[in-house]
Coordinates of all heavy atoms in Angstrom, one line a residue:
Q220 N -50.6 158.4 -34.2 CA -50.7 159.7 -34.9 C -49.4 160.5 -34.7 O -49.0 160.8 -33.6 CB -51.9 160.5 -34.4 CG -53.2 159.9 -34.7 CD -53.5 160.0 -36.2 OE1 -53.5 161.0 -36.8 NE2 -53.8 158.8 -36.8
L221 N -48.8 160.9 -35.8 CA -47.6 161.7 -35.8 C -47.9 163.2 -35.6 O -49.0 163.6 -36.0 CB -46.8 161.6 -37.1 CG -45.8 160.4 -37.2 CD1 -44.7 160.5 -36.2 CD2 -46.5 159.1 -37.1
Q222 N -47.0 163.9 -35.0 CA -47.2 165.4 -34.8 C -45.9 166.1 -35.2 O -44.9 165.5 -35.4 CB -47.5 165.7 -33.3 CG -48.8 165.1 -32.8 CD -49.2 165.5 -31.4 OE1 -48.5 166.4 -30.8 NE2 -50.2 164.8 -30.8
E223 N -46.1 167.4 -35.4 CA -45.0 168.2 -35.9 C -43.7 168.1 -35.0 O -43.9 168.2 -33.8 CB -45.4 169.7 -36.0 CG -44.5 170.6 -36.7 CD -45.2 171.9 -37.0 OE1 -45.9 172.0 -38.0 OE2 -44.9 172.9 -36.2
G224 N -42.6 167.9 -35.6 CA -41.3 167.8 -34.8 C -40.9 166.4 -34.5 O -39.8 166.1 -34.0
D225 N -41.8 165.4 -34.8 CA -41.5 164.0 -34.5 C -40.3 163.5 -35.3 O -40.2 163.7 -36.5 CB -42.7 163.1 -34.7 CG -43.7 163.1 -33.6 OD1 -43.4 163.5 -32.5 OD2 -44.9 162.8 -33.9
L226 N -39.4 162.8 -34.6 CA -38.3 162.1 -35.3 C -38.5 160.6 -35.4 O -38.8 160.0 -34.4 CB -37.0 162.4 -34.4 CG -35.7 161.9 -35.0 CD1 -35.3 162.7 -36.2 CD2 -34.6 161.9 -33.9
L227 N -38.4 160.1 -36.6 CA -38.7 158.7 -36.8 C -37.4 158.0 -37.2 O -36.4 158.6 -37.7 CB -39.6 158.5 -38.0 CG -41.1 158.8 -37.9 CD1 -41.3 160.3 -37.9 CD2 -41.9 158.2 -39.0
S228 N -37.3 156.7 -36.9 CA -36.2 155.9 -37.4 C -36.7 154.5 -37.7 O -37.6 154.0 -37.0 CB -35.1 155.8 -36.3 OG -35.5 155.2 -35.1
L229 N -36.2 154.0 -38.8 CA -36.6 152.6 -39.2 C -35.3 151.8 -39.3 O -34.3 152.2 -39.9 CB -37.3 152.7 -40.6 CG -37.5 151.3 -41.3 CD1 -38.5 150.5 -40.4 CD2 -38.1 151.5 -42.7
R230 N -35.3 150.7 -38.6 CA -34.1 149.9 -38.5 C -33.5 149.5 -39.9 O -34.2 149.0 -40.8 CB -34.4 148.6 -37.8 CG -33.2 147.7 -37.5 CD -33.6 146.4 -36.8 NE -34.3 146.7 -35.5 CZ -34.9 145.7 -34.8 NH1 -34.9 144.4 -35.3 NH2 -35.5 146.0 -33.7
G231 N -32.3 149.9 -40.1 CA -31.6 149.6 -41.3 C -31.9 150.6 -42.4 O -31.2 150.5 -43.5

Side-chain angles (χ1 to χ4, degrees):
Q220 294 291 304
L221 276 295
Q222 296 185 11
E223 194 168 276
D225 280 338
L226 183 70
L227 288 74
S228 62
L229 173 61
R230 186 182 302 171

